Amino acid sequence: VNRPGTYLDYNATSPVKPAVRHAILRALEEGGNPSSIHGPGRKARVRLDEARDAVAALVGACAENVIFTSGGTEANNLAILGLTRTHAIETILVSAIEHPCVRTAAEESSIQLREVPVDKNGVLELTALKEMLDHGNGCVLLALMLANNETGVIQPLAAASEYVHAVGGLVHCDAVQAAGKIPFSIADLGVDSLALSAHKFGGPQGAGALVLAHALPLGARLLGGGQELGRRGGTENLPGIVGLGEAAQLAMADLPDYSRLAALRDDFEMRLRQETPAIVIFGEAAPRLPNTSAFAAPGVEADTLLMALDLAGIAVSSGSACSSGKVSHSHVLKAMAVPDSLARSALRVSLGWASREGDLDYFIASWRQIRAQADRARRAVPLAG
Ligand code: PLP
């Protein structure tokens, strides 16, 4: 059966939920600048405040500590560069698996940067962190993501935050991939700030937030008309923010659906292993997001598989979407000590709100066919030679 449009790349971007699309269209029709004091402006302000409440509720924060941004990249940049401007940070510790927007922002700060390693399952080495904190001096900022975009592996935020706070440091958490997929609150994680992005959980691209645990002083990166309490200048992207708010509200209601996705993912991995016993599933032994499966079939280039799957109408990723297109291998798999020869074969399947069992049935059937073709081609080579 051909199923054109089998989308299995939710970690790259999720399709927009219908109710979100509807809310965005309404915001576009209503118009209004939230800073205007006339009727349309006041109405726009109400919509902005409703979205702020919804985002705050998703992560258990106070609404006044939500700063709207243009997405996850800006939220992470604002946290790293904004907090280092207002705090006497002497070292930035970044986990070895952070998204490039965290890593490069830390590099841009010109503050001493140290990398905290992960183990072979992709989980932060807490003992290494503790050692760095014990032997370091001065105030530190730790950047640790909640769930990795490539493997889905969930990080020990609460323990890491406790260690860092014990020495008077700060913790920023990139929660872009975890938000709306697993339940958590900013207080449970014990972090000082966290980044969200609407398009990872059914909202639009180009809308996100930096959420502070408390009223931390933060240096603005965008200077302007005092919006977002002076922490992020520029007229707010109201349709995007309304979409983010609606998506946040729906994500809270839809969280139980992730146990359905976990069952689908687990069954998928079991069937994949039956098809290809040599398959390696990355981070399998660690706690993972329920929707993510990163794996490699030794000996077959991921890009070859990706193209064959694409021809069959299946969208997956051969690494994080932001880094696909680059020739370099995944820094995440490298940090997990995965050899390059295996990393070259790594694919990621990620599910979401519209995923159905049939999508995975079709993937498995296509996988079988593509692998059989590849085997036939391999066998044909010596004959031809
Ligand atoms: N952080 C993580 C873990 C991500 O996966 C992504 C997007 O792929 C980002 C940050 C960047 O978010 P945005 O695309 O909203 O800029």
Side-chain angles (χ1 to χ4, degrees), residues 202-236:
Q205 295 166 343
L210 176 67
V211 184
L212 304 177
H214 39 98
L216 274 177
L218 180 80
R221 296 286 298 159
L222 289 181
L223 308 172
Q227 291 91 345
E228 301 298 296
L229 300 177
R231 296 168 296 188
R232 200 270 189 187
T235 300
E236 298 86 349

Side-chain angles (χ1 to χ4, degrees), residues 51-52 55-56 61-68 209-212 228 231:
R52 205 182 297 282
V55 170
C62 292
E64 65 265 26
N65 294 330
V66 173
I67 304 160
F68 290 122
L210 176 67
V211 184
L212 304 177
E228 301 298 296
R231 296 168 296 188

Side-chain angles (χ1 to χ4, degrees), residues 172-329:
H172 169 66
C173 174
D174 174 351
V176 163
Q177 288 293 344
K181 295 176 186 163
I182 50 169
F184 66 87
S185 75
I186 198 163
D188 294 343
L189 303 181
V191 300
D192 298 285
S193 60
L194 59 82
L196 305 174
S197 178
H199 76 105
K200 306 294 186 180
F201 55 92
Q205 295 166 343
L210 176 67
V211 184
L212 304 177
H214 39 98
L216 274 177
L218 180 80
R221 296 286 298 159
L222 289 181
L223 308 172
Q227 291 91 345
E228 301 298 296
L229 300 177
R231 296 168 296 188
R232 200 270 189 187
T235 300
E236 298 86 349
N237 164 19
L238 192 62
I241 290 169
V242 164
L244 164 65
E246 184 70 26
Q249 228 169 352
L250 293 171
M252 286 222 302
D254 291 351
L255 268 175
D257 189 44
Y258 274 84
S259 49
R260 174 184 75 85
L261 295 180
L264 277 188
R265 192 270 314 268
D266 292 348
D267 183 59
F268 166 72
E269 290 183 345
M270 194 190 71
R271 288 195 285 164
L272 198 59
R273 187 159 271 146
Q274 278 166 359
E275 290 296 328
T276 310
I279 204 97
V280 176
I281 297 171
F282 301 114
E284 196 181 8
R288 278 184 297 162
L289 290 178
N291 77 317
T292 307
S293 181
F295 53 87
V300 190
E301 294 276 331
D303 288 344
T304 311
L305 287 169
L306 197 80
M307 280 186 286
L309 288 164
D310 186 40
L311 280 174
I314 300 174
V316 298
S317 180
S318 63
S320 105
C322 304
S323 63
S324 46
K326 280 193 207 158
V327 250
S328 59
H329 297 310

Side-chain angles (χ1 to χ4, degrees), residues 81-105:
L81 297 169
L83 288 173
T84 49
R85 193 172 291 174
T86 48
H87 296 78
I89 304 291
E90 282 168 53
T91 308
I92 305 180
L93 301 175
V94 286
S95 86
I97 55 164
E98 290 305 300
H99 190 273
C101 68
V102 169
R103 176 76 190 218
T104 48

